[in-house]
Amino acid sequence: MNKKRIVILSQYFPPETTAAAKRAVSMAEAFSGEYDVKVITTRPSSPSPAHFDPADVAEHDRKLQYGIKRVLHFPPHAGGLLIRGIREYIMAIRLGLSVIKEPADLIIASTPSMFLAPVALLAARRNNAKFIWDIR
């Protein structure tokens, strides 16, 4: 029997220690027992990419019981309000383009980035998948 496929789209994910990262990993772990889970996220960047050794991140990711794809660095607080908004929108589009390439029965967009939901919804429609927006 094939497991249903869930893709979780999140701006934050461990080894980052933000509340959003902790919520996303809890979802991934809870679903991975019954479903085939893939997480698409940024490379650890909060509070700064300099805080995370790429080798340590790769080792962390190898130990997960589900797949993970890290797309780009996204320091969330760089630039003024307008620049941050534009950068966040571009980040969401880049993550969303990665979701389109993944087979999925369900796509979950997890906040805080409000821009992730529209791109995840479009990806879900393109993939004929259900969509959930995890709003916090």
Side-chain angles (χ1 to χ4, degrees), residues 22-80:
K22 292 174 183 178
R23 287 190 304 268
V25 74
S26 293
M27 269 194 297
E29 289 173 355
F31 287 131
S32 67
E34 299 292 321
Y35 302 94
D36 181 13
V37 175
K38 176 100 176 234
V39 175
I40 298 180
T41 188
T42 60
R43 293 185 190 109
S45 302
S46 181
S48 167
H51 288 92
F52 302 96
D53 177 37
D56 291 342
V57 173
E59 180 64 24
H60 169 273
D61 291 353
R62 272 192 294 278
K63 294 177 182 177
L64 299 174
Q65 55 193 344
Y66 42 84
I68 186 164
K69 180 177 183 180
R70 296 191 183 267
V71 177
L72 70 155
H73 285 293
F74 183 74
H77 305 295

